[in-house]
Amino acid sequence: MLELLTDDVVHDINQGGREHGKEAFRVFLDTMDTHYRERAEDLTILSSVDGRRAAAEFVIHGKYL
């Protein structure tokens, strides 16, 4: 998934703050993998006409480790 991102990615964390950059997102993913086993379903991706902004809506199924 990281290969699809640009270095200036912005991630608004659910019930958290805002992080900037691909490296910060990699760290976030590593942390999530350590504490959760989950999968995303019912994924919908929304984007602006000019492609500068995007968002995703999804349902997470999983468990705490």
Side-chain angles (χ1 to χ4, degrees), residues 3 6-7 10-11 13 17 21 23 25-26 31 36 38-39 49 56-58 61 63-65:
E3 294 299 319
T6 58
D7 290 330
V10 176
H11 179 213
I13 299 171
E23 178 60 18
F25 193 66
R26 185 196 62 74
T31 301
Y36 305 97
E38 54 189 19
R39 67 186 185 285
V49 174
E57 178 182 271
F58 48 87
H61 300 272
K63 65 178 182 175
Y64 295 107
L65 300 179

Side-chain angles (χ1 to χ4, degrees), residues 6-65:
T6 58
D7 290 330
D8 62 348
V9 66
V10 176
H11 179 213
D12 290 321
I13 299 171
N14 186 31
Q15 298 179 359
R18 173 175 279 194
E19 293 186 343
H20 299 266
K22 196 171 179 178
E23 178 60 18
F25 193 66
R26 185 196 62 74
V27 171
F28 170 81
L29 291 176
D30 287 347
T31 301
M32 295 299 287
D33 286 345
T34 300
H35 299 286
Y36 305 97
R37 287 292 172 256
E38 54 189 19
R39 67 186 185 285
E41 295 183 356
D42 302 323
L43 179 64
T44 300
I45 298 173
L46 311 154
S47 65
S48 62
V49 174
D50 64 8
R52 292 181 48 117
R53 298 178 61 94
E57 178 182 271
F58 48 87
V59 176
I60 295 292
H61 300 272
K63 65 178 182 175
Y64 295 107
L65 300 179

